[in-house]
Amino acid sequence: MKSKRRLFLKGATSAGLIGVAVGAGLLKPVRVLAAAWPKTAFDADTTDAAMTEMFGSTEATESGDIKVKAPDIAENGAVVPVTVETGLSSVESISIITENNPAPLSASFNLASNAEGYVSTRLKMGKTSNVVAVVKADGKLYSASKEVKVTIGGCGG
Amino acid sequence: MSSIKVRAKAAGDVVTVKALMKHPMETGQRKDSSGNPIPAHYIQEVVCEHNGNEVMTALWGPSVSKNPYLSFKFTGGAKGDTLKISWSDNEGKSDSEEATIG
């Protein structure tokens, strides 16, 4: 079983395969977080389109329970540290949308029930933009945003 | 050598995971010195498992920075547990690394 799993994990790069493995009982049938990579959402060129593709809705309630930590001014748009923290309960996912990027949806983190409402990463920003955190908790969407001023963009050549 | 560096530290019941991956994260929008577009090459999915159970899956677009950094927290982990991080990119490449929670 152990060696089988090892082999399997090496080969399994797509969520589809993981789904098959769960079906075959290779993995414990816990909640599987890996959905298929949402290409249409990542390809969307507006925030609304990305939201619609990702969540089926553009409506997110602004919440004071979400904190977006990012620099006020990013000197280097290629590396902008962004941390999202939320005190909301039953958090299912945290997504980060950089409104003025060519493709606004930057990242989406699916969280298991034992994960805390906290993610931190580094993003590229083409120009000054609002960074919006969209938290899906208990089936509802909540958001908070912070403006980051970019002096040198990180998306161009 | 693995392209992933993972640190996981337990403080009480909460485990903080920090990971650094080596990857170009090419957006597909840049051009090389002769003006030809550089094809997009970026990590699309990062899966993190604690003792074989998924705790976090990150879905990424090309706007995550080069050599991506990722941090998150979860409860229910203890020192000595195994943590596994795997990534896969848009070219079908993948890598994974295991760490012991300290």
Side-chain angles (χ1 to χ4, degrees), chain A residues 78 108 110 114 116 121 124, chain B residues 25 57 59 63 65 69 73 75:
Chain A
S108 185
N110 294 335
N114 63 328
E116 304 268 286
T121 187
K124 283 178 270 200
Chain B
M25 297 301 283
T57 294
L59 305 169
S63 63
S65 296
Y69 166 80
K73 300 176 183 181
T75 55

Side-chain angles (χ1 to χ4, degrees), chain B residues 21-102:
Chain B
M21 283 149 259
K22 211 176 157 173
H23 201 281
M25 297 301 283
E26 231 4 286
T27 59
Q29 298 185 11
R30 297 201 308 156
K31 292 187 168 102
D32 65 16
S33 51
S34 43
N36 302 313
I38 304 171
H41 184 205
Y42 55 96
I43 294 177
Q44 290 185 318
E45 197 173 281
V46 184
V47 179
C48 182
E49 290 162 87
H50 163 241
N51 285 350
N53 296 322
E54 280 182 70
V55 284
M56 194 276 322
T57 294
L59 305 169
W60 283 351
S63 63
V64 173
S65 296
K66 180 180 174 180
N67 298 332
Y69 166 80
L70 163 72
S71 174
F72 68 98
K73 300 176 183 181
F74 68 94
T75 55
K79 279 183 189 172
D81 288 359
T82 306
L83 199 80
K84 184 187 163 99
I85 293 205
S86 336
W87 61 255
S88 56
D89 69 19
N90 65 325
E91 292 183 354
K93 293 184 187 123
S94 62
D95 200 1
S96 69
E97 176 76 358
E98 281 187 9
T100 305
I101 297 174

Side-chain angles (χ1 to χ4, degrees), chain A residues 31 35-36 38-42 44 46-61 66 84 90-98 104-111 132-144, chain B residues 57 59:
Chain A
R31 194 171 133 207
K39 186 178 188 304
T40 49
F42 279 105
T46 65
T47 302
D48 280 359
M51 288 281 290
T52 308
E53 293 295 341
M54 194 69 192
F55 305 109
S57 164
T58 57
E59 299 291 321
T61 317
I66 305 170
V84 179
S90 311
V91 175
E92 293 161 35
S93 72
I94 297 177
S95 303
I96 302 173
I97 294 172
T98 315
L105 181 62
S106 294
S108 185
F109 301 85
N110 294 335
L111 302 173
V132 184
V134 180
V135 175
K136 189 176 183 190
D138 210 8
K140 295 190 186 75
L141 298 175
Y142 301 91
S143 73
Chain B
T57 294
L59 305 169

Side-chain angles (χ1 to χ4, degrees), chain A residues 3-144:
Chain A
S3 64
K4 231 179 181 174
R5 211 174 76 82
R6 191 86 15 243
L7 263 178
F8 157 71
L9 282 169
K10 263 188 189 152
T13 53
S14 78
L17 274 174
I18 290 172
V20 171
V22 169
L26 275 171
L27 286 171
K28 280 184 208 163
V30 291
R31 194 171 133 207
V32 171
L33 305 167
W37 191 74
K39 186 178 188 304
T40 49
F42 279 105
D43 282 348
D45 57 5
T46 65
T47 302
D48 280 359
M51 288 281 290
T52 308
E53 293 295 341
M54 194 69 192
F55 305 109
S57 164
T58 57
E59 299 291 321
T61 317
E62 274 199 37
S63 168
D65 264 342
I66 305 170
K67 282 198 186 77
V68 183
K69 266 191 252 170
D72 295 325
I73 297 172
E75 285 189 14
N76 181 359
V79 186
V80 183
V82 178
T83 299
V84 179
E85 253 187 297
T86 174
L88 295 166
S89 55
S90 311
V91 175
E92 293 161 35
S93 72
I94 297 177
S95 303
I96 302 173
I97 294 172
T98 315
E99 282 184 347
N100 290 346
N101 267 6
L105 181 62
S106 294
S108 185
F109 301 85
N110 294 335
L111 302 173
S113 50
N114 63 328
E116 304 268 286
Y118 170 95
V119 290
S120 181
T121 187
R122 298 196 287 231
L123 302 178
K124 283 178 270 200
M125 290 180 66
K127 55 185 173 189
T128 298
S129 170
N130 269 333
V131 176
V132 184
V134 180
V135 175
K136 189 176 183 190
D138 210 8
K140 295 190 186 75
L141 298 175
Y142 301 91
S143 73

